[in-house]
Amino acid sequence: MRATRAGAALAGLAAGAVTLGVAELLTGLLTRVTSVEGTPSPLLAVANAFVDLTPAWLKDFAVATFGTADKTALFVGMGLVLLAACAGIGLLARRLLAAGLVTFALLGVVGVVAVLSRPGATATDVVPTAVGVVVGVLVLAWFNRDVTTTADVERPGDLSRRSVLVGAGSLTVVGLLGVLAGRVLSGAGEAVRAARDAFVVPRVAAPVTVPAAADQGVPGQTSYRTPNDAFYRIDTALTVPQVDPGTWRLRVHGLVEQEVEIDMAELLAQPMVEALVTLTCVSNYVGGDLAGNAVWTGWPVRELLARARPLPEADMVLSTSADGWTAGTPLEVLTDERNSLLAVGMNGEPLPEQHGFPVRMVVPGLYGYVSATKWVVDLKVTRFGEDEGYWTPRGWSARGPIKTASRIDVPRRGPIDAGPTVVAGVAWAQHRGVRAVEVRVDDGEWQEATLAAEPTVDSWRMWMFEWDAEPGEHTLTVRATDGDGEIQTDRLAPPAPDGSSGWHSRDVEVRRR
């Protein structure tokens, strides 16, 4: 007698869980005993392949909806899809065993293809997935033998419906535990965490001093300097690349007179500088919080490029991350006077792993997708007509200069009392600076806000405005003027393809005291 529908669906889930458990355990062993450059984990490979195929509008939606939790949302979504697929295959196998087994195997082929699509992949990388799929097929076939009901006379080798449910449920749990054990077995991050703990940020000749006047101290207003653990993170790395500073190398090649390669010891021997730089994600909507300001410690990229001597026809540098992600940055912004850095420190500490340890790029004035390469390992001097960064063929513009923006932080949404009220926020126009900020109440005249000190034009600027709030519903709007005298545009535009624009407004209800 065939399994019940519930039993069949659970058998499919068990086969899928065992497949992943075996694959992740073997991935852990492979990672532990060999130097893996690809992504043998089918879970990570499929997720990364999905990110690679993500169009601009979907990336936009994911960041707008989930913010910095976009990766968690992706894994949850993948889990739900896998659950549905495996349960469906289990039901198919109940009716047509051969069709169910073939479909399950095809699902495994998707995993194999995803593994092979990752940068640095080799034939060895597909072994965990292939073995896992074979075991999963056997599990699915075993659970779809003829079974008996508890009322039937059981024959040797038969399975009761209860045993199907118990056995499939148990194997599902075992498979999931295998996934966790595989991650632990791989030892991912242990050596790098130890290296980071021992890493000492180099001293600089002229440390950055942030004057107290740069931060206005309004409750609820963004602080001038963003703590490392509060700094936004938007990237395509579903797991943080683990780069050992002891083996890290950075190669400069392409349209240069002399190829150059440096290691960590040579980098740290260079005269380091500190720079206050605000980074902004191109996915930031008007009024969004995907921007942060920090003191970065590093060596100017222009010094390294000067060693390589770019050829006159070069106009772009294609930087590559340890996980294969790329960004195309105009050569001119890496060779002018601005503090474009190969950064090793963030707010006086070693770079956090998720922010690029051991080395990342920091470039004032450009959105991160064309400049802020984390875990950087390669710089190719080239031309925009010959090479493209990761996001350019996916619909985003090639150069990505940051647009002037301003944001209202306080008052927050919700009723406030009538009377003297502080309106405050932050404005940025990296590498141009902020000359003025104005606030408008409803459709009234623009009124100038009080600006905090501006230690550098490469970071954001705090502002505040004193408002005598009258009872009723009101709309507050802010706009900034950059250091070149250009007023922030009121033209509404989404993040794609070159950054959002428009004035930030906030509706406020004012009640009588």
Side-chain angles (χ1 to χ4, degrees), residues 105-374:
L106 289 175
L107 188 62
V109 170
V110 172
V112 169
V113 171
V115 168
L116 289 175
S117 73
R118 307 320 305 150
T122 66
T124 304
D125 292 339
V126 306
V127 171
T129 302
V131 174
V133 171
V134 170
V135 175
V137 167
L138 293 175
V139 168
L140 186 61
W142 187 77
F143 272 115
N144 277 278
R145 295 183 297 160
D146 285 343
V147 300
T148 64
T149 66
T150 54
D152 293 329
V153 177
E154 297 187 11
R155 300 187 302 271
D158 280 349
L159 294 173
S160 70
R161 287 176 175 173
R162 177 175 297 177
S163 64
V164 169
L165 295 175
V166 172
S170 298
L171 279 179
T172 300
V173 173
V174 169
L176 295 177
L177 290 175
V179 173
L180 295 176
R183 301 311 299 166
V184 173
L185 182 62
S186 69
E190 292 177 7
V192 173
R193 279 191 288 273
R196 183 181 180 275
D197 290 341
F199 191 89
V200 177
V201 178
R203 294 182 179 275
V204 300
V208 165
T209 301
V210 179
D215 200 334
Q216 293 172 315
V218 177
Q221 184 186 31
T222 298
S223 60
Y224 182 72
R225 187 160 60 173
T226 308
N228 291 357
D229 59 0
F231 209 96
Y232 78 94
R233 179 199 168 197
I234 298 291
D235 53 48
T236 63
L238 297 177
T239 57
V240 175
Q242 303 299 312
V243 182
D244 185 346
T247 59
W248 176 85
R249 299 288 187 278
L250 177 60
R251 178 186 176 217
V252 184
H253 60 105
L255 298 177
V256 296
E257 294 183 19
Q258 176 69 49
E259 289 196 11
V260 177
E261 184 173 300
I262 62 171
D263 59 15
M264 182 59 69
E266 186 172 1
L267 174 61
L268 296 180
Q270 306 310 311
M272 296 278 168
V273 301
E274 283 186 348
L276 267 171
V277 180
T278 295
L279 299 185
T280 306
C281 180
V282 72
S283 296
N284 199 41
Y285 276 85
V286 172
D289 59 0
L290 299 181
N293 190 40
V295 176
W296 306 92
T297 305
W299 188 39
V301 182
R302 63 175 174 271
E303 301 294 341
L304 178 60
L305 291 175
R307 292 186 180 184
R309 301 189 299 280
L311 298 178
E313 60 266 31
D315 64 2
M316 188 255 269
V317 173
L318 188 73
S319 54
T320 303
S321 166
D323 64 351
W325 186 86
T326 57
T329 309
L331 178 61
E332 62 191 48
V333 307
L334 297 178
T335 54
D336 64 15
E337 82 292 346
R338 78 186 71 194
N339 282 315
S340 296
L341 301 178
L342 293 169
V344 298
M346 181 178 183
N347 287 328
E349 300 177 0
L351 289 172
E353 292 174 43
Q354 67 271 26
H355 289 296
F357 181 82
V359 184
R360 67 167 296 163
M361 288 176 61
V362 172
V363 181
L366 299 183
Y367 289 115
Y369 81 103
V370 295
S371 66
T373 303
K374 303 172 183 176

Side-chain angles (χ1 to χ4, degrees), residues 276-278 293 338-339 364-365 430-433 456-460:
L276 267 171
V277 180
T278 295
N293 190 40
R338 78 186 71 194
N339 282 315
Q430 289 93 309
H431 206 58
R432 302 184 304 279
T456 170
V457 295
D458 289 337
S459 66
W460 58 21

